[in-house]
Amino acid sequence: MENENQTPHKRRVHYKGKYPKKFEEKYKELQPEKYKDTIAHVIQKGNTPAGMHISIMVKEILDFLQIKPGQTGFDATLGYGGHTKAMLEQLQGQGHIHATDVDPVESAKTKKRLAEQGFGEDILTVHLQNFCTIDEIAKEVGGFDFILADLGVSSMQIDNPERGFSFKVDGPLDLRLNQEAGISAAERLDTISRDELAGMLYENSDEPHCEELAKAITDEIRKGHRVDTTTKLRRIIENTLDFLPEKDKKETIKKTCQRTFQALRIDVNREFEVLYEFMEKLPGALKPGGRVTILTFHSGEDKLVKRALKEGYRAGIYSEYAKDVVRPSAQECAQNGRARSTKMRWAVRSQ
């Protein structure tokens, strides 16, 4: 007779239909090494596979950085490791890259993945800390020949509903890059004033409906209804913008959701403060003649980077800097929709 206490065999979730919608059902996309055909097909359709991140402007970055074997480099945001891997390959086994990331979950996965591809601790050191600590690492290693700062949030974080980065799927309203530190976006909204929230939405994402949204969100919280899930926040936005003409409503709501989530993400992760600190410390971390490229994804970041590089050039800190932004090609934007808002700026440290 069969043992009644035997643990029943748990079947894996079926890959429902051609394109399953739920993140956890996309097990083929979440195992890129095993299901290469599926990954290739998803990318070919102009989409990013679940749990993966497609690196942006790799050729343009490498063309500018001119990495040579034996050099020391810094990758400010390790993420999925696509840029890191491309730069490591340029070193040809000689030299070293130091990379920072505040996400303990994704950085551990990336470190393991890169080690399996031959890039171990002899050539790559991953620091679980914020990239604004670049001065501490530079002091230890004697400065950097090349630096990359890709300021975008990785697709792995956006796509995973448990992280709360996307308004498209239900999940906790978290938005922290490191869920072990700081407070979530939901906790931030618990105590925020109407004026402060309106200011945040305007300053962090140029939201035109910032006043109406701030009133609606804080009114809801004052009634004792916590805004603690992505769906609750999206519904408040939808209800607030219900007055819009029908032909404009859908697109405006989508863009307002994107801007609202972006503004909260910037706030809970202190992204502007961190970037400002990084730009201040950047010249001291670069060796004479060292090169830096920075990818930004919204106007607030780009203005801050542009101003810092321009001031550095005028002060003689940089011998050259990007007076105009470099944009991804039309072909790259067609293959990767998340590349469309990217702007690349660069500078060369004076000798």
Side-chain angles (χ1 to χ4, degrees), residues 75-264:
D75 187 345
T77 47
L78 175 69
Y80 195 76
H83 285 131
T84 324
K85 184 185 175 188
M87 294 189 292
L88 285 164
E89 286 169 349
Q90 299 295 305
L91 290 177
Q92 296 173 28
Q94 300 167 54
H96 206 91
I97 289 180
H98 291 264
T100 52
D101 203 308
V102 293
D103 187 331
V105 177
E106 292 300 336
S107 62
K109 289 182 195 171
T110 299
K111 185 180 177 182
K112 182 174 181 284
R113 193 185 310 111
L114 288 171
E116 286 167 356
Q117 292 169 11
F119 303 110
E121 292 185 0
D122 57 319
I123 199 164
L124 172 68
T125 303
V126 177
H127 304 262
L128 192 60
Q129 57 199 70
N130 209 299
F131 64 86
C132 65
T133 60
I134 185 173
D135 55 328
E136 298 168 18
I137 302 165
K139 194 176 175 184
E140 277 176 41
V141 303
F144 299 108
D145 299 292
F146 61 92
I147 292 171
L148 166 67
D150 171 1
L151 303 178
V153 176
S154 292
S155 300
M156 307 91 66
Q157 291 155 333
I158 294 169
D159 292 340
N160 187 343
E162 291 174 17
R163 305 301 297 270
F165 283 92
S166 176
F167 61 90
K168 293 177 183 176
V169 287
D170 188 42
L173 189 65
D174 195 309
L175 291 163
R176 286 172 296 172
L177 294 168
N178 178 3
Q179 292 183 310
E180 295 170 10
I183 61 166
S184 69
E187 290 170 301
R188 179 76 171 100
L189 290 177
D190 284 342
T191 56
I192 202 165
S193 70
R194 179 177 161 182
D195 287 347
E196 191 183 0
L197 181 54
M200 182 208 294
L201 292 170
Y202 182 73
E203 286 168 30
N204 290 1
S205 58
D206 302 317
E207 173 50 53
H209 301 289
C210 57
E211 297 288 349
E212 300 97 312
L213 288 170
K215 181 182 185 307
I217 293 165
T218 51
D219 281 355
E220 194 70 17
I221 291 161
R222 213 169 24 245
K223 287 176 198 168
H225 304 148
R226 284 196 84 213
V227 183
D228 54 5
T229 70
T230 54
T231 303
K232 284 181 187 176
L233 181 55
R234 191 188 74 232
R235 282 183 186 148
I236 294 172
I237 294 167
E238 288 168 347
N239 294 336
T240 307
L241 301 182
D242 199 43
F243 68 89
L244 292 168
E246 211 58 47
K247 62 181 176 70
D248 303 328
K249 196 183 290 185
K250 190 179 176 184
E251 190 58 26
T252 305
I253 286 171
K254 180 186 167 187
K255 286 184 175 169
T256 299
C257 282
Q258 288 170 340
R259 287 191 289 259
T260 304
F261 275 68
Q262 174 186 296
L264 279 167

Side-chain angles (χ1 to χ4, degrees), residues 21-35:
K21 288 187 167 59
K22 288 188 178 176
F23 181 79
E24 62 275 9
E25 288 175 355
K26 300 183 180 184
Y27 67 83
K28 289 187 179 179
E29 294 178 32
L30 292 165
Q31 297 178 71
E33 291 81 12
K34 194 173 177 184
Y35 297 100

